[in-house]
Amino acid sequence: MKALKHDPLDIVITGVGGQGNVLASQVLGRSLLAAGYEVTVGETYGLSQRGGSVMSQVRLSSGPVLGPLMPEHRATAIVSLEPLEALRVLGTYGHPGVIVITNDRPLRPLAVLAGEQAYPGAEELKATLASLCHRLYALPATEAALELGNHILANVVLLGALCALDLLPIGAAEVEAALGEMFPEKLMGPNRAALSKGAELITKG
């Protein structure tokens, strides 16, 4: 096994219900387990599973097995399927050294759609996120997923981006193997393409 570049390594994967962030954390957890690491995955849900906040924490360490919830302001990286969710999580788990990878496509909550609340402008939100972290990657994950045929691949695009950052002790090949255990081969073509697209987006970013 490779030594951890960050020990402990604490990854938050966040979004809203229905975006696939729980699946992404399960895939990442399986990948790390298969590679021989002790990994803990914890999940928290908002008031509504579909449309509400959903957050997973993936934790690993070379020491004792960690609890499922990381201490506040200790995340190594935050991966978000929705930009405002990235900001919300930064308030609790962020710090000046954290790396943020976020989908740049907003998913406006019902209160915003009803005109009761305002959603921040894209540039304002991006500037705020950048000011609160070490490095921000705001990626067009949904757009890339749609180009591959299905918006639900956005979570795999972001996993591909995470693997390309050299934070994890594993790479896209291990994540692809975990996906292969969960999906039939007929679905693996788009998933492989999504992983590659995520790495490509990081390179461009």
Side-chain angles (χ1 to χ4, degrees), residues 12-100:
V12 177
I13 301 179
T14 188
V16 300
Q19 286 195 297
N21 42 312
V22 171
L23 176 66
S25 65
Q26 291 173 348
V27 170
L28 184 56
R30 284 173 177 245
S31 307
L32 292 163
L33 275 174
Y37 295 94
E38 296 283 355
V39 58
T40 306
V41 179
E43 298 165 355
T44 60
Y45 297 84
L47 293 177
S48 172
Q49 289 192 14
R50 181 163 293 279
S53 299
V54 180
M55 179 182 66
S56 302
Q57 299 185 1
V58 181
R59 312 191 69 203
L60 67 157
S61 168
S62 60
V65 176
L66 300 171
L69 297 178
M70 70 182 65
E72 293 187 356
H73 307 295
R74 294 282 296 275
T76 308
I78 294 171
V79 180
S80 179
L81 284 131
E82 206 284 331
L84 196 56
E85 285 299 307
L87 181 60
R88 185 182 65 78
V89 169
L90 268 170
T92 304
Y93 295 100
H95 56 88
V98 70
I99 292 173
V100 176

Side-chain angles (χ1 to χ4, degrees), residues 79 99 101-102 137 139 141 154-168 172 194-203:
V79 180
I99 292 173
I101 306 172
T102 185
Y137 297 90
L139 308 178
N155 59 348
V156 182
V157 171
L158 292 178
L159 280 178
L162 177 64
C163 290
L165 278 185
D166 197 30
L167 284 175
L168 302 174
L195 285 172
S196 295
K197 188 65 180 180
E200 179 186 329
L201 291 175
I202 280 289
T203 302

